[in-house]
Amino acid sequence: MRIVILGTGGYHPNERRHTACVMIPERGIIFDAGTGFFRVPQFVEQKKLNVFLSHAHFDHIIGLTFPLVALHRKEIEAIRIFGDAKTLQAVQIHLFAEPTFPVVPDFEYVELAESTTVPGNGILTYCPLNHPGGSIGFRIDWPETSLAYITDTIADGTYTDFVAGVDLLIHECNFPDSGVDLAKMTGHSYTTSVARVAAEASVKRLVLTHIDPQLTSDDPIDLSVAQAIFRETTIAQDLDEIEL
Ligand SMILES: [Zn+2]
Ligand SMILES: [Zn+2]
């Protein structure tokens, strides 16, 4: 299964990273709809898309305003948006408010049940995360493999059991260790904290994303620090493809 990372930045886009979006084309599954969502049409394999939103901060939902042309051209046939009640309400009332975006797309909104069956005989579950205003993390277990997508949270270990043993953990790492105070203040993660969660959860592989857009170097979060704690760690770049 191919996973495409369409946006790897947090907060706002910069010259090398768009904001949060992860797509599994053959399953029609997308996590978050940040600015990276503009890339979705070029990767569509299933014309019915299921979008799972972690929360309603703009860097995770603004891309929902992008697919109107692809819908009009039938490159995409339908989009279902999954989230908790608060997030779905924010999208419908605030993002698609008449003064901000007067065309209301014909999306279907689905409040997350305790578990959701997804294409490929997968079971999706979610858990609450510690972030200002709240966020939720996702896990999908298919018969042959598993992944978890955890973003916008302090890596406080409260969800270690939830992600335990997954083949792939995609996790935010907004800051290097030097940003620990900012991480705690803004409800985000820093390098050592994420690597510890991956090690304690005995995941197979860790991919770091949602990088602070002020940090534009090749190694914004000191990868070697993470790898010293959890060896199978990489930093995602926009348009990276991961085989799972
Ligand atoms: Zn964010
Ligand atoms: Zn957020």
Side-chain angles (χ1 to χ4, degrees):
M1 188 187 327
R2 180 178 64 134
I3 294 160
V4 192
I5 315 284
L6 300 181
T8 61
Y11 187 21
H12 64 73
N14 62 21
E15 300 298 345
R16 74 182 294 170
R17 298 180 188 277
H18 274 276
T19 69
C21 193
V22 173
M23 183 172 186
I24 309 173
E26 69 196 70
R27 302 270 154 97
I29 292 168
I30 297 171
F31 292 112
D32 279 336
T35 62
F37 200 90
F38 85 95
R39 293 170 165 143
V40 164
Q42 63 182 296
F43 291 97
V44 165
E45 292 179 19
Q46 302 295 328
K47 292 194 170 191
K48 293 185 175 156
L49 298 176
N50 300 295
V51 179
F52 295 89
L53 298 177
S54 61
H55 64 315
H57 287 167
F58 281 120
D59 55 327
H60 299 257
I61 65 166
I62 193 73
L64 294 176
T65 63
F66 300 165
L68 288 188
V69 174
L71 282 162
H72 179 70
R73 291 178 176 160
K74 308 283 187 213
E75 294 162 6
I76 298 171
E77 280 174 8
I79 298 182
R80 282 200 293 184
I81 314 286
F82 293 80
D84 62 19
K86 186 174 153 186
T87 296
L88 297 182
Q89 199 176 34
V91 168
Q92 291 172 92
I93 294 175
H94 300 298
L95 184 65
F96 292 114
E98 204 270 336
T100 56
F101 200 82
V103 183
V104 178
D106 188 21
F107 296 153
E108 183 186 346
Y109 292 92
V110 184
E111 192 176 333
L112 282 163
E114 202 170 307
S115 73
T116 304
T117 303
V118 297
N121 290 321
I123 301 292
L124 176 141
T125 49
Y126 68 97
C127 81
L129 300 173
N130 186 359
H131 184 62
S135 180
I136 56 179
F138 297 103
R139 173 179 180 136
I140 304 180
D141 289 276
W142 286 281
E144 71 282 13
T145 191
S146 57
L147 69 74
Y149 173 73
I150 304 287
T151 196
D152 287 53
T153 187
I154 298 168
D156 56 5
T158 54
Y159 52 88
T160 303
D161 289 347
F162 177 73
V163 301
V166 289
D167 291 302
L168 172 64
L169 172 60
I170 301 171
H171 197 299
E172 77 131 291
C173 188
N174 207 73
F175 298 106
D177 283 1
S178 58
V180 57
D181 292 341
L182 272 173
K184 287 177 177 164
M185 194 173 80
T186 59
H188 284 291
S189 302
Y190 59 97
T191 307
T192 290
S193 66
V194 184
R196 279 190 187 140
V197 167
E200 280 164 23
S202 299
V203 305
K204 300 260 170 43
R205 187 172 171 192
L206 171 64
V207 172
L208 302 173
T209 188
H210 199 292
I211 309 294
D212 178 357
Q214 313 306 318
L215 307 175
T216 57
S217 73
D218 288 344
D219 185 7
I221 50 84
D222 301 328
L223 185 59
S224 62
V225 170
Q227 288 174 334
I229 299 165
F230 186 75
R231 194 161 55 87
E232 298 301 322
T233 308
T234 53
I235 304 172
Q237 307 294 333
D238 279 27
L239 299 174
D240 273 0
E241 300 194 358
I242 300 167
E243 264 313 313
L244 185 63

